[in-house]
Amino acid sequence: MRPLLSWGTWREVLSRAWRPRPSVGYLEALNAQGYARNTPVGACELQGELDRFGGISVRLARLDALDRLDAAAFKKSLQVAVQQWRSEGRTAVWLHIPILQSRFIAPAATLGFRFHHAELDSSTLTLWLAEGPSRLPGYASHQVGVAGAVFDESTRKILVVQDRNKLKNMWKFPGGLSEPGEDIGDTAVREVFEETGIKSEFRSLLSIRQQHTNPGAFGKSDMYIICRLKPYSFTINFCQHECLRCEWMDLNDLAKTENTTPITSRVARLLLYGYREGFDKIDLTVEELPAVHTDVAIKISS
Amino acid sequence: MRPLLSWGTWREVLSRAWRPRPSVGYLEALNAQGYARNTPVGACELQGELDRFGGISVRLARLDALDRLDAAAFKKSLQVAVQQWRSEGRTAVWLHIPILQSRFIAPAATLGFRFHHAELDSSTLTLWLAEGPSRLPGYASHQVGVAGAVFDESTRKILVVQDRNKLKNMWKFPGGLSEPGEDIGDTAVREVFEETGIKSEFRSLLSIRQQHTNPGAFGKSDMYIICRLKPYSFTINFCQHECLRCEWMDLNDLAKTENTTPITSRVARLLLYGYREGFDKIDLTVEELPAVHTDVAIKISS
C-alpha cells in the first residue's frame, strides 16, 4: 500500500482538480439561490458542485490525480470532506464514480454511502446529510412493457402469439420492453414487427396495468401498456427465438378462450365493444404537449 | 499486495463455496430445460447458477473466501471461468457484487463486464457471451410521477399548488414520485396529503404523459400520471419545504389561466367537460386483474 499523501499535497491536488465547471443554467440557479456567494472558493478541500437544493456533487472522473490514490487515502479525504459539508449544512452528497475507479466504492460505503444507481460505465452513490430520512429522489422505479393489439377490421381477426419462453403457453399480444427514449407507440410497432413480421400503425392506447411482483423486473415495478394498432401487412413471419405460435385469431374466439391472460381477455372484450360501437368509445387519446422544464438540478422529492 | 492463491487452493475454495442452491421453482425450470443434466457438478471452477436462458449468475455474497482475495487474483479466476462458460455456449454472465466487495468491479470491467444496475448495498454487472448484440433485458427505464387533481364538485373548486423548487411558479396539481411497490392511486393520495394537508380518495386515472428529457430523471424516461381524487377534508395546511402557494381555485379559472403547465390546463378542461357531461365520459377505469407469472428466471427480451 502506498503511503498516505500529506494533507498539503491533497489540498493542492483537489483545489486544482475541483474547480467547479457549472453550466450557464446551473450558474443562474446558483445565483438565483445565492449559493455561489455562500461558497468561498477553496473553502472545501474535496470540492464538488453545489446544487440548488444544498447537495454536493462530486465527479471522480474529473479528478485525474485520484489515479495515484489508493482506497485508504481516498477514504480519509472523503471523511474529512463529509465532516466539512455536514458542518456547512449541506443536505446530501452525490458521488459519481467511473467503473474503473470502483475501488473507491467500498471505502465510501464504510462512511455510509450507498448505491443510488449504476449503468454501464459508472455508478452513483449518495449520502444524506440533512436531518430526518433522506428526501433524495429515487432512480427509475418501473420497466415499461408495451404490447400491440393488431386488429384487422376487414376480417375481424386479431394478431396473437404464444411465447416460447413461458412455461404456460397462453395466447397474448406480441410486445416487449420499451427501449431507452422510445415512445410507447413506437415500441408497440417495433415489437410486433420483430416478433411476427407484421407491419402496423399506432392508433391508440387501450389499457394500462401496473404490477409490483413481476419476476423479470429485478425487483422493480412493471407498467404494461396495450396499444391498438392497424396492420398494413398480413403475412406472418414470426421470430422462432421468441414465439412458439403466431396467428390471426377471430376476435370472438380470443374473447372466449380460457387459454389466455386476464388482461388479454379483457382487451379482447374491449375491442369487440369498440368494433360494434366505434373505437372512440374505448381509445385513450394521445396528444403531443410541449414539455415545461424549470429544473436545472436534481429535484429533492417529497 | 498479497500473493496470488495457487490454483489448487482456488478450485477448493470455489467447489466448496459455489455449489448452486437453486429454489424449487428454479430446479423445475432447469429440469424442464434439461440444463441440470447438462452441468456436471464441479465442471466449472467459478461456478454460478444456470438460468433457463443459458445465462450464468454468480453471487459473490455466497463466496466468503473472496474476502481473502485481492482484485488481481479475482480477475485471473474470472477470466478462466468466462473462457469456460464461453466454450460451453453460455449466453451471458450476471455478476452480483456486495458493495463492500466492490474492489472486484474494476477487474471485471477490464474483462468487458459493465454495470447492469446497482441499488443500496449491491451492484450487478453483466457480460454478453452469445453471438450478436446483447439480448439481456434492461433495468427499470422509467420514473413514475403521480399528481392528484382534487376536485370539490360542491364548490367547483380544484386544489392547486405552486412548487417552491421551480424557477417559474406555475399552478399545478400536487404530486410526486411513486415509491417502490406503491400503487398509482395511493401515490396520488399520499402526495396530496403530504404537500397540502388535504385528505382525499382515489376516483380514476385522467391522463398519462411520457417524457424522455426530464432533467430530474437521471437520464431515464418519466411517466406522469394525473388521477382524479375526491376530497374529504378541506382545510389547507401546505408543506413549506415544497410549496410556495396552495389554494382551492375555481376550475374555470384554472382552465383559463396562462400561469400553468400545458398538461394541467388540458386536465382542467377535461374536468370541466366531465363536470358537465359526467365523469364516466373522461375517467380511465381501473380494474384489479390477477397477475399471471410463468417466468421463473430472468427473461431475455427481444
Side-chain angles (χ1 to χ4, degrees), chain A residues 33-248:
Chain A
Q33 303 290 321
Y35 282 146
R37 285 186 300 280
N38 299 343
T39 311
V41 172
C44 172
E45 282 72 13
L46 180 49
Q47 191 170 27
E49 292 177 0
L50 184 64
D51 67 42
R52 48 199 288 265
F53 304 102
I56 296 281
S57 263
V58 179
R59 301 182 183 281
L60 299 197
R62 295 188 182 171
L63 190 46
D64 308 336
L66 270 187
D67 297 342
R68 297 197 307 272
L69 277 188
D70 63 24
F74 175 78
K75 178 181 175 179
K76 179 74 178 171
S77 313
L78 183 59
Q79 194 162 23
V80 170
V82 166
Q83 281 165 358
Q84 172 151 354
W85 290 324
R86 190 171 264 124
S87 71
E88 292 169 348
R90 303 309 179 204
T91 55
V93 185
W94 298 80
L95 200 53
H96 304 281
I97 304 181
I99 194 167
L100 291 178
Q101 290 183 333
S102 294
R103 68 185 185 280
F104 297 135
I105 292 173
T110 62
L111 298 178
F113 282 82
R114 290 294 178 269
F115 282 114
H116 181 273
H117 66 275
E119 190 172 15
L120 297 177
D121 288 327
S122 84
S123 65
T124 295
L125 282 72
T126 55
L127 178 66
W128 180 249
L129 298 179
E131 287 188 356
S134 168
R135 289 188 290 119
L136 294 175
Y139 194 57
S141 56
H142 287 64
Q143 70 177 21
V144 173
V146 185
V150 188
F151 183 57
D152 178 3
E153 294 181 53
S154 63
T155 60
R156 208 183 59 178
K157 292 198 168 186
I158 185 141
L159 186 67
V160 286
V161 298
Q162 287 187 4
D163 192 332
R164 179 174 294 281
N165 295 321
K166 303 276 183 174
L167 296 185
K168 287 188 201 167
N169 293 312
M170 292 183 290
W171 291 112
K172 55 190 272 290
F173 302 120
L177 289 180
S178 195
E179 290 183 350
E182 187 175 47
D183 284 343
I184 289 165
D186 297 340
T187 304
V189 167
R190 175 182 54 78
E191 287 286 345
V192 164
F193 181 72
E194 288 174 2
E195 284 190 30
T196 70
I198 298 298
K199 295 176 181 166
S200 62
E201 293 172 343
F202 174 78
R203 280 292 178 267
S204 72
L205 303 184
L206 287 175
S207 180
I208 292 158
R209 179 196 66 189
Q210 180 170 250
Q211 286 183 332
H212 304 302
T213 57
N214 191 300
F218 306 97
K220 294 298 181 179
S221 296
D222 177 84
M223 187 90 70
Y224 180 65
I225 299 173
I226 298 184
C227 302
R228 183 168 70 86
L229 305 181
K230 179 177 183 176
Y232 61 85
S233 84
F234 302 88
T235 307
I236 290 171
N237 174 20
F238 69 89
C239 172
Q240 305 290 334
H241 288 298
E242 294 182 76
C243 304
L244 198 64
R245 295 185 189 77
C246 175
E247 60 183 60
W248 289 102

